[in-house]
Amino acid sequence: MAESKRARKRRLKRRREERKGDVPHRQKQRERLWKRQKQRCAYCRRSIPLTAATLDHVIPRAAGGSGRIGNLVVACGPCNQRKADRMPG
């Protein structure tokens, strides 16, 4: 079944927003993860404000990891940069 014009417009709009950067559903996702991790970085365990929290893929996308919630953690900027696209370990 072909998708409606309205559904196609919504899908394309979301894709454009995702390319621009942080979209509302990503902000909510980051906030949920941040609360789940008790407002701490997954790597150094320091307390971080929500504004400084970044999403990190445990298994990097470059290594075949997904963008699903089970593969994401909240990390502080320095830890996220240090980990880069390496596997955890």
Side-chain angles (χ1 to χ4, degrees), residues 18-89:
E18 286 174 349
R19 284 190 206 126
K20 287 180 187 174
D22 215 14
V23 291
H25 73 275
R26 275 290 214 211
Q27 291 171 351
K28 289 177 186 174
Q29 190 176 49
R30 181 180 8 192
E31 187 173 356
R32 281 195 305 268
L33 284 168
W34 180 72
K35 286 178 181 176
R36 183 181 80 183
Q37 291 178 208
K38 299 183 173 120
Q39 305 165 4
R40 297 189 174 277
C41 171
Y43 302 111
C44 67
R45 305 304 301 157
R46 289 189 184 131
S47 181
I48 53 173
L50 180 59
T51 54
T54 62
L55 289 178
D56 181 53
H57 294 86
V58 178
I59 300 173
R61 305 245 359 230
S66 71
R68 293 183 173 216
I69 196 91
N71 189 41
L72 294 171
V73 293
V74 174
C76 62
C79 285
N80 199 349
Q81 265 192 326
R82 194 174 315 116
K83 181 182 172 278
D85 64 348
R86 292 184 296 247
M87 296 291 275

